[in-house]
Amino acid sequence: MRSNDLTEFLKKIRGKKHARKEFDFRESYALLSVIFNQASHLMGLLKPDGTVIKINPTAYGFIKGKESEVLGRPFWETPWWAHSPEQQEQLREAIKASAQGKTVSFEATHITSEGEIVCIDFSLKPVMNEKGSVVLLVPEGHDITERKRAEEALLEAAIKYRIVADNTYNWEFWVSPEGKFIYTSPSCQRISGHGAEEFNADPALIWSIIHPDDRKLWADHRHDIVQIKHQGELALRIVRPDGEIRWVHHICLPVFDDKGKFLGTRGSFSDITEQKKAAAALLDNARIKLELEIAKEIQQALLPVCPRELPGMLTACRCVPATHVGGDYYDFFLLEKGLVDVVIADVAGHTIGSALLMAMTRSVLHAKVATSRSPGNLLTAVNDLLHDDLSRSELQISMFYARLDSENSTLAYANAGHTPPFLYRCKQGSFMELDADGLLLGIKTGVCFEEKRTGVQAGDILILYTDGVTEAENAEGELFGTGRLCRVIAAHSSCNPDEIMTAIFRELTAFTGTKPLLDDVAVTIFKIV
């Protein structure tokens, strides 16, 4: 082949190669143009200094603008950025960095032609030639407004739930299937004495704070939750770091996702220590109340059955304690023919101690009563025997002791600091106060008690009572008093002792109304026949 022919041949070949490259370039350019113009997100082309070369239709759609408004202008001065000087400056810095070959991305906001602010995930990528020089910058923006709204809504919901969980009074928690704490509410500090971070760091801590006697109960409960996946609850004790034992009520249930996958257990502890104490106190109170009821029955059994009549007289008696038990006491002793000793006493207070002293006093009296001992001598003997016990208990006893002689129609009596009884003289229609000097029992030993004597006649009424009668109060704080008591007796002096007794308590109830008695009440009535 001649050299000219070879040259022509090579020219033809080069021509064909050039035509192929030109065809490939045009085809690639057409494809890129389609992608650029039909992209659903914002795209553009910038010179390395940030001058706008081209913007795709989607970007123009945001601002309802024209090419003439943006082409040839610095990108940061275009409508997409004009609303925010801060973002304009951020974009200028990003263009400088991208012109050096760096890809830059950040979140920005654009304002649409309708005035709506949208969130944009913006990026700026450099395009380099074969020599590695940046020849173009490609800005892209993806509308992430809905995603951001969803994220913000999710965050807002999470914050609300977290606020609720963190501020619950009970100790709330969530444990993973592996037994690790995913969440522990701050209330664990108040209940257990340990902070949330301690439980999150050490899953075994919950086991260590369970009271040793309740650990098997806890282990069985956890087995049912994790293995059988049943909701469960129980009450158990935990031990705080300072050694204090707290009762807690625990409830938990297995948690599953939408596909039924086990996600762990959600549980709660509430401090029921005070409830347990209250329940125990209630049981104690019920037990004490039962014991007091029994004590009341025993005490009432120690009082004598009131005889309807005694030699030469008709009788009535009643004792009403202010509480379950009291310290009021009365008794009768039949001596020789025609002689009847009667006594009424009041131990200070109306407690178990008062009731015990009353029982002791009754025993001493039963041991010391004898015809040979006059009322004054009997009080001296009783005082000497009870002095030491009364001193130790810091209690005293008031007592009135009388001896009725129906054969000789006389009444002998002595008083150890008791409220003076009355003798209603039927013929005169008047009251005689039966008072005699004498200290309370238990003050000191070797005390002499004054003894007095008076005559009695048929129709006369002897009334022995404790100060719970005359010192009963109404709603205004007014005392019932001896005046009312005497008026009731005088108005019913023709009645038998039972009727007089009924009248006294009816009047007393009407006077006090709904106000409870503050002291024990005991009354004995003797009518001479």
Side-chain angles (χ1 to χ4, degrees), residues 159-180:
I159 290 173
K160 288 180 179 178
Y161 287 128
R162 187 62 181 254
I163 290 173
V164 171
D166 283 353
N167 290 277
T168 54
Y169 189 71
N170 292 338
W171 167 13
E172 309 292 339
F173 67 86
W174 180 8
V175 176
S176 72
E178 296 75 30
K180 294 183 178 180

PDB file of all heavy atoms in Angstrom, residues 159-180:
ATOM      1  N   ILE A 159     -40.640  12.185  74.334  1.00  0.00           N
ATOM      2  CA  ILE A 159     -40.406  13.080  75.478  1.00  0.00           C
ATOM      3  C   ILE A 159     -41.572  13.020  76.447  1.00  0.00           C
ATOM      4  O   ILE A 159     -41.394  12.962  77.665  1.00  0.00           O
ATOM      5  CB  ILE A 159     -40.178  14.526  74.976  1.00  0.00           C
ATOM      6  CG1 ILE A 159     -38.836  14.616  74.251  1.00  0.00           C
ATOM      7  CG2 ILE A 159     -40.227  15.502  76.141  1.00  0.00           C
ATOM      8  CD1 ILE A 159     -38.604  15.954  73.578  1.00  0.00           C
ATOM      9  N   LYS A 160     -42.791  13.013  75.906  1.00  0.00           N
ATOM     10  CA  LYS A 160     -43.978  12.942  76.767  1.00  0.00           C
ATOM     11  C   LYS A 160     -43.994  11.650  77.571  1.00  0.00           C
ATOM     12  O   LYS A 160     -44.220  11.655  78.785  1.00  0.00           O
ATOM     13  CB  LYS A 160     -45.244  13.051  75.925  1.00  0.00           C
ATOM     14  CG  LYS A 160     -45.494  14.435  75.358  1.00  0.00           C
ATOM     15  CD  LYS A 160     -46.769  14.455  74.526  1.00  0.00           C
ATOM     16  CE  LYS A 160     -47.036  15.848  73.963  1.00  0.00           C
ATOM     17  NZ  LYS A 160     -48.263  15.870  73.116  1.00  0.00           N
ATOM     18  N   TYR A 161     -43.746  10.538  76.858  1.00  0.00           N
ATOM     19  CA  TYR A 161     -43.738   9.259  77.553  1.00  0.00           C
ATOM     20  C   TYR A 161     -42.616   9.202  78.582  1.00  0.00           C
ATOM     21  O   TYR A 161     -42.777   8.651  79.668  1.00  0.00           O
ATOM     22  CB  TYR A 161     -43.610   8.108  76.557  1.00  0.00           C
ATOM     23  CG  TYR A 161     -44.856   7.857  75.753  1.00  0.00           C
ATOM     24  CD1 TYR A 161     -44.813   7.791  74.364  1.00  0.00           C
ATOM     25  CD2 TYR A 161     -46.082   7.698  76.376  1.00  0.00           C
ATOM     26  CE1 TYR A 161     -45.971   7.565  73.606  1.00  0.00           C
ATOM     27  CE2 TYR A 161     -47.235   7.472  75.635  1.00  0.00           C
ATOM     28  CZ  TYR A 161     -47.170   7.411  74.255  1.00  0.00           C
ATOM     29  OH  TYR A 161     -48.301   7.201  73.535  1.00  0.00           O
ATOM     30  N   ARG A 162     -41.478   9.789  78.240  1.00  0.00           N
ATOM     31  CA  ARG A 162     -40.343   9.787  79.163  1.00  0.00           C
ATOM     32  C   ARG A 162     -40.663  10.634  80.396  1.00  0.00           C
ATOM     33  O   ARG A 162     -40.333  10.263  81.525  1.00  0.00           O
ATOM     34  CB  ARG A 162     -39.092  10.310  78.467  1.00  0.00           C
ATOM     35  CG  ARG A 162     -37.812  10.182  79.303  1.00  0.00           C
ATOM     36  CD  ARG A 162     -37.516   8.716  79.600  1.00  0.00           C
ATOM     37  NE  ARG A 162     -36.332   8.547  80.400  1.00  0.00           N
ATOM     38  CZ  ARG A 162     -35.176   8.100  79.938  1.00  0.00           C
ATOM     39  NH1 ARG A 162     -35.062   7.793  78.650  1.00  0.00           N
ATOM     40  NH2 ARG A 162     -34.145   7.961  80.729  1.00  0.00           N
ATOM     41  N   ILE A 163     -41.306  11.778  80.142  1.00  0.00           N
ATOM     42  CA  ILE A 163     -41.694  12.635  81.276  1.00  0.00           C
ATOM     43  C   ILE A 163     -42.642  11.891  82.198  1.00  0.00           C
ATOM     44  O   ILE A 163     -42.499  11.913  83.427  1.00  0.00           O
ATOM     45  CB  ILE A 163     -42.336  13.946  80.763  1.00  0.00           C
ATOM     46  CG1 ILE A 163     -41.269  14.822  80.106  1.00  0.00           C
ATOM     47  CG2 ILE A 163     -43.015  14.695  81.905  1.00  0.00           C
ATOM     48  CD1 ILE A 163     -41.828  16.059  79.423  1.00  0.00           C
ATOM     49  N   VAL A 164     -43.622  11.208  81.588  1.00  0.00           N
ATOM     50  CA  VAL A 164     -44.575  10.436  82.400  1.00  0.00           C
ATOM     51  C   VAL A 164     -43.855   9.339  83.174  1.00  0.00           C
ATOM     52  O   VAL A 164     -44.035   9.176  84.377  1.00  0.00           O
ATOM     53  CB  VAL A 164     -45.680   9.825  81.505  1.00  0.00           C
ATOM     54  CG1 VAL A 164     -46.539   8.849  82.308  1.00  0.00           C
ATOM     55  CG2 VAL A 164     -46.559  10.929  80.924  1.00  0.00           C
ATOM     56  N   ALA A 165     -43.010   8.589  82.452  1.00  0.00           N
ATOM     57  CA  ALA A 165     -42.304   7.468  83.090  1.00  0.00           C
ATOM     58  C   ALA A 165     -41.359   7.951  84.176  1.00  0.00           C
ATOM     59  O   ALA A 165     -41.293   7.378  85.269  1.00  0.00           O
ATOM     60  CB  ALA A 165     -41.541   6.671  82.038  1.00  0.00           C
ATOM     61  N   ASP A 166     -40.627   9.041  83.892  1.00  0.00           N
ATOM     62  CA  ASP A 166     -39.639   9.529  84.856  1.00  0.00           C
ATOM     63  C   ASP A 166     -40.279  10.160  86.078  1.00  0.00           C
ATOM     64  O   ASP A 166     -39.617  10.318  87.109  1.00  0.00           O
ATOM     65  CB  ASP A 166     -38.707  10.550  84.187  1.00  0.00           C
ATOM     66  CG  ASP A 166     -37.670   9.887  83.300  1.00  0.00           C
ATOM     67  OD1 ASP A 166     -37.599   8.639  83.314  1.00  0.00           O
ATOM     68  OD2 ASP A 166     -36.939  10.598  82.597  1.00  0.00           O
ATOM     69  N   ASN A 167     -41.540  10.554  85.947  1.00  0.00           N
ATOM     70  CA  ASN A 167     -42.182  11.242  87.067  1.00  0.00           C
ATOM     71  C   ASN A 167     -43.288  10.425  87.731  1.00  0.00           C
ATOM     72  O   ASN A 167     -44.063  10.966  88.516  1.00  0.00           O
ATOM     73  CB  ASN A 167     -42.745  12.592  86.601  1.00  0.00           C
ATOM     74  CG  ASN A 167     -41.641  13.580  86.282  1.00  0.00           C
ATOM     75  OD1 ASN A 167     -41.112  14.240  87.162  1.00  0.00           O
ATOM     76  ND2 ASN A 167     -41.279  13.670  85.008  1.00  0.00           N
ATOM     77  N   THR A 168     -43.348   9.142  87.420  1.00  0.00           N
ATOM     78  CA  THR A 168     -44.315   8.296  88.109  1.00  0.00           C
ATOM     79  C   THR A 168     -43.874   8.081  89.549  1.00  0.00           C
ATOM     80  O   THR A 168     -42.678   8.026  89.843  1.00  0.00           O
ATOM     81  CB  THR A 168     -44.447   6.932  87.422  1.00  0.00           C
ATOM     82  OG1 THR A 168     -43.156   6.339  87.307  1.00  0.00           O
ATOM     83  CG2 THR A 168     -45.083   7.062  86.067  1.00  0.00           C
ATOM     84  N   TYR A 169     -44.844   7.974  90.441  1.00  0.00           N
ATOM     85  CA  TYR A 169     -44.520   7.775  91.856  1.00  0.00           C
ATOM     86  C   TYR A 169     -43.967   6.378  92.089  1.00  0.00           C
ATOM     87  O   TYR A 169     -43.085   6.171  92.919  1.00  0.00           O
ATOM     88  CB  TYR A 169     -45.773   7.990  92.709  1.00  0.00           C
ATOM     89  CG  TYR A 169     -45.488   8.009  94.192  1.00  0.00           C
ATOM     90  CD1 TYR A 169     -44.819   9.078  94.772  1.00  0.00           C
ATOM     91  CD2 TYR A 169     -45.880   6.956  95.003  1.00  0.00           C
ATOM     92  CE1 TYR A 169     -44.550   9.100  96.129  1.00  0.00           C
ATOM     93  CE2 TYR A 169     -45.604   6.964  96.365  1.00  0.00           C
ATOM     94  CZ  TYR A 169     -44.952   8.043  96.916  1.00  0.00           C
ATOM     95  OH  TYR A 169     -44.673   8.055  98.259  1.00  0.00           O
ATOM     96  N   ASN A 170     -44.463   5.422  91.317  1.00  0.00           N
ATOM     97  CA  ASN A 170     -43.970   4.051  91.461  1.00  0.00           C
ATOM     98  C   ASN A 170     -42.660   3.878  90.686  1.00  0.00           C
ATOM     99  O   ASN A 170     -42.323   4.667  89.812  1.00  0.00           O
ATOM    100  CB  ASN A 170     -45.010   3.048  90.948  1.00  0.00           C
ATOM    101  CG  ASN A 170     -46.238   3.014  91.832  1.00  0.00           C
ATOM    102  OD1 ASN A 170     -46.189   3.395  92.997  1.00  0.00           O
ATOM    103  ND2 ASN A 170     -47.348   2.571  91.279  1.00  0.00           N
ATOM    104  N   TRP A 171     -41.976   2.819  91.003  1.00  0.00           N
ATOM    105  CA  TRP A 171     -40.712   2.471  90.334  1.00  0.00           C
ATOM    106  C   TRP A 171     -41.064   1.621  89.115  1.00  0.00           C
ATOM    107  O   TRP A 171     -41.478   0.481  89.244  1.00  0.00           O
ATOM    108  CB  TRP A 171     -39.832   1.744  91.333  1.00  0.00           C
ATOM    109  CG  TRP A 171     -38.638   1.042  90.778  1.00  0.00           C
ATOM    110  CD1 TRP A 171     -38.090   1.147  89.532  1.00  0.00           C
ATOM    111  CD2 TRP A 171     -37.820   0.088  91.472  1.00  0.00           C
ATOM    112  NE1 TRP A 171     -36.992   0.346  89.405  1.00  0.00           N
ATOM    113  CE2 TRP A 171     -36.795  -0.327  90.571  1.00  0.00           C
ATOM    114  CE3 TRP A 171     -37.841  -0.452  92.747  1.00  0.00           C
ATOM    115  CZ2 TRP A 171     -35.839  -1.258  90.929  1.00  0.00           C
ATOM    116  CZ3 TRP A 171     -36.881  -1.378  93.106  1.00  0.00           C
ATOM    117  CH2 TRP A 171     -35.881  -1.768  92.202  1.00  0.00           C
ATOM    118  N   GLU A 172     -40.898   2.217  87.907  1.00  0.00           N
ATOM    119  CA  GLU A 172     -41.225   1.521  86.664  1.00  0.00           C
ATOM    120  C   GLU A 172     -39.935   1.027  86.001  1.00  0.00           C
ATOM    121  O   GLU A 172     -38.891   1.675  86.109  1.00  0.00           O
ATOM    122  CB  GLU A 172     -41.957   2.462  85.708  1.00  0.00           C
ATOM    123  CG  GLU A 172     -43.152   3.184  86.310  1.00  0.00           C
ATOM    124  CD  GLU A 172     -44.305   2.266  86.641  1.00  0.00           C
ATOM    125  OE1 GLU A 172     -44.342   1.158  86.057  1.00  0.00           O
ATOM    126  OE2 GLU A 172     -45.152   2.628  87.467  1.00  0.00           O
ATOM    127  N   PHE A 173     -40.022  -0.106  85.311  1.00  0.00           N
ATOM    128  CA  PHE A 173     -38.831  -0.609  84.626  1.00  0.00           C
ATOM    129  C   PHE A 173     -39.214  -1.482  83.433  1.00  0.00           C
ATOM    130  O   PHE A 173     -40.341  -1.930  83.303  1.00  0.00           O
ATOM    131  CB  PHE A 173     -37.941  -1.411  85.595  1.00  0.00           C
ATOM    132  CG  PHE A 173     -38.558  -2.703  86.076  1.00  0.00           C
ATOM    133  CD1 PHE A 173     -38.421  -3.869  85.337  1.00  0.00           C
ATOM    134  CD2 PHE A 173     -39.275  -2.742  87.258  1.00  0.00           C
ATOM    135  CE1 PHE A 173     -38.984  -5.058  85.767  1.00  0.00           C
ATOM    136  CE2 PHE A 173     -39.843  -3.925  87.702  1.00  0.00           C
ATOM    137  CZ  PHE A 173     -39.704  -5.089  86.960  1.00  0.00           C
ATOM    138  N   TRP A 174     -38.209  -1.689  82.573  1.00  0.00           N
ATOM    139  CA  TRP A 174     -38.348  -2.590  81.420  1.00  0.00           C
ATOM    140  C   TRP A 174     -37.062  -3.411  81.358  1.00  0.00           C
ATOM    141  O   TRP A 174     -35.959  -2.875  81.314  1.00  0.00           O
ATOM    142  CB  TRP A 174     -38.557  -1.782  80.143  1.00  0.00           C
ATOM    143  CG  TRP A 174     -38.723  -2.610  78.895  1.00  0.00           C
ATOM    144  CD1 TRP A 174     -38.864  -3.964  78.806  1.00  0.00           C
ATOM    145  CD2 TRP A 174     -38.776  -2.126  77.548  1.00  0.00           C
ATOM    146  NE1 TRP A 174     -39.011  -4.362  77.508  1.00  0.00           N
ATOM    147  CE2 TRP A 174     -38.958  -3.255  76.705  1.00  0.00           C
ATOM    148  CE3 TRP A 174     -38.696  -0.873  76.979  1.00  0.00           C
ATOM    149  CZ2 TRP A 174     -39.044  -3.139  75.332  1.00  0.00           C
ATOM    150  CZ3 TRP A 174     -38.782  -0.760  75.603  1.00  0.00           C
ATOM    151  CH2 TRP A 174     -38.964  -1.878  74.791  1.00  0.00           C
ATOM    152  N   VAL A 175     -37.224  -4.742  81.373  1.00  0.00           N
ATOM    153  CA  VAL A 175     -36.089  -5.658  81.369  1.00  0.00           C
ATOM    154  C   VAL A 175     -36.079  -6.427  80.051  1.00  0.00           C
ATOM    155  O   VAL A 175     -37.121  -6.913  79.590  1.00  0.00           O
ATOM    156  CB  VAL A 175     -36.163  -6.646  82.558  1.00  0.00           C
ATOM    157  CG1 VAL A 175     -35.035  -7.667  82.491  1.00  0.00           C
ATOM    158  CG2 VAL A 175     -36.096  -5.893  83.869  1.00  0.00           C
ATOM    159  N   SER A 176     -34.906  -6.536  79.430  1.00  0.00           N
ATOM    160  CA  SER A 176     -34.770  -7.247  78.158  1.00  0.00           C
ATOM    161  C   SER A 176     -34.919  -8.751  78.361  1.00  0.00           C
ATOM    162  O   SER A 176     -34.858  -9.236  79.498  1.00  0.00           O
ATOM    163  CB  SER A 176     -33.394  -6.958  77.553  1.00  0.00           C
ATOM    164  OG  SER A 176     -32.379  -7.632  78.301  1.00  0.00           O
ATOM    165  N   PRO A 177     -35.111  -9.502  77.277  1.00  0.00           N
ATOM    166  CA  PRO A 177     -35.207 -10.969  77.411  1.00  0.00           C
ATOM    167  C   PRO A 177     -33.968 -11.578  78.073  1.00  0.00           C
ATOM    168  O   PRO A 177     -34.047 -12.644  78.685  1.00  0.00           O
ATOM    169  CB  PRO A 177     -35.350 -11.449  75.959  1.00  0.00           C
ATOM    170  CG  PRO A 177     -35.953 -10.294  75.243  1.00  0.00           C
ATOM    171  CD  PRO A 177     -35.365  -9.079  75.878  1.00  0.00           C
ATOM    172  N   GLU A 178     -32.822 -10.890  77.983  1.00  0.00           N
ATOM    173  CA  GLU A 178     -31.587 -11.400  78.591  1.00  0.00           C
ATOM    174  C   GLU A 178     -31.473 -11.013  80.057  1.00  0.00           C
ATOM    175  O   GLU A 178     -30.510 -11.404  80.729  1.00  0.00           O
ATOM    176  CB  GLU A 178     -30.369 -10.863  77.836  1.00  0.00           C
ATOM    177  CG  GLU A 178     -30.250 -11.318  76.395  1.00  0.00           C
ATOM    178  CD  GLU A 178     -31.226 -10.600  75.472  1.00  0.00           C
ATOM    179  OE1 GLU A 178     -31.559  -9.422  75.772  1.00  0.00           O
ATOM    180  OE2 GLU A 178     -31.676 -11.209  74.473  1.00  0.00           O
ATOM    181  N   GLY A 179     -32.438 -10.239  80.554  1.00  0.00           N
ATOM    182  CA  GLY A 179     -32.419  -9.879  81.973  1.00  0.00           C
ATOM    183  C   GLY A 179     -31.748  -8.559  82.274  1.00  0.00           C
ATOM    184  O   GLY A 179     -31.553  -8.216  83.446  1.00  0.00           O
ATOM    185  N   LYS A 180     -31.403  -7.777  81.247  1.00  0.00           N
ATOM    186  CA  LYS A 180     -30.777  -6.484  81.469  1.00  0.00           C
ATOM    187  C   LYS A 180     -31.846  -5.390  81.516  1.00  0.00           C
ATOM    188  O   LYS A 180     -32.844  -5.448  80.799  1.00  0.00           O
ATOM    189  CB  LYS A 180     -29.771  -6.183  80.354  1.00  0.00           C
ATOM    190  CG  LYS A 180     -28.576  -7.114  80.344  1.00  0.00           C
ATOM    191  CD  LYS A 180     -27.594  -6.706  79.252  1.00  0.00           C
ATOM    192  CE  LYS A 180     -26.363  -7.608  79.261  1.00  0.00           C
ATOM    193  NZ  LYS A 180     -25.387  -7.238  78.208  1.00  0.00           N
TER     194      LYS A 180
END
